[in-house]
Amino acid sequence: MTDINQVIDQMPIEVYERLRSAAELGKWEDGTVLSEVQRESTLQVVMLYQARKLEQTEHFTIAPDGKINELSTAELKKQFRGEPIAEFKVQDL
């Protein structure tokens, strides 16, 4: 059996993105629903990939040390300050 570390080291970003999407949506691209065991395993692989290969600093992402990045309220406010999420005109409402 292949070591999970070898799998992660050799995994192309496209495979990671498909696995992440499946874990988020609970189904594969073809619409096949993941079993609970498949979803848990897929999520574990996604988290390991994020920790080992992606340098993420966003809120609730996996850091290289395997811990979850948790930003304070002040850090989150600073990150989104001045950037409106959406703008509506009165007639749009």
Side-chain angles (χ1 to χ4, degrees), residues 7-20:
V7 171
I8 297 299
D9 290 341
Q10 297 172 3
M11 184 183 299
I13 188 78
E14 296 82 14
V15 172
Y16 157 75
E17 290 171 349
R18 288 183 184 147
L19 291 171
R20 187 189 70 204

Side-chain angles (χ1 to χ4, degrees), residues 31-84:
T32 304
V33 177
L34 276 73
S35 70
E36 191 59 35
V37 172
Q38 287 175 320
R39 193 167 190 179
E40 289 175 13
S41 297
T42 301
L43 187 55
Q44 289 177 2
V45 170
V46 166
M47 292 172 69
L48 184 57
Y49 185 95
Q50 289 174 343
R52 299 223 16 233
K53 296 193 84 170
L54 302 179
E55 292 186 26
Q56 303 181 107
T57 58
E58 295 87 25
H59 190 54
F60 282 114
T61 56
I62 308 298
D65 61 3
K67 295 181 181 177
I68 296 176
N69 292 317
E70 294 184 69
L71 301 179
S72 68
T73 303
E75 290 171 315
L76 287 170
K77 284 182 179 180
K78 182 179 177 183
Q79 185 177 7
F80 293 107
R81 185 174 293 135
E83 296 179 30

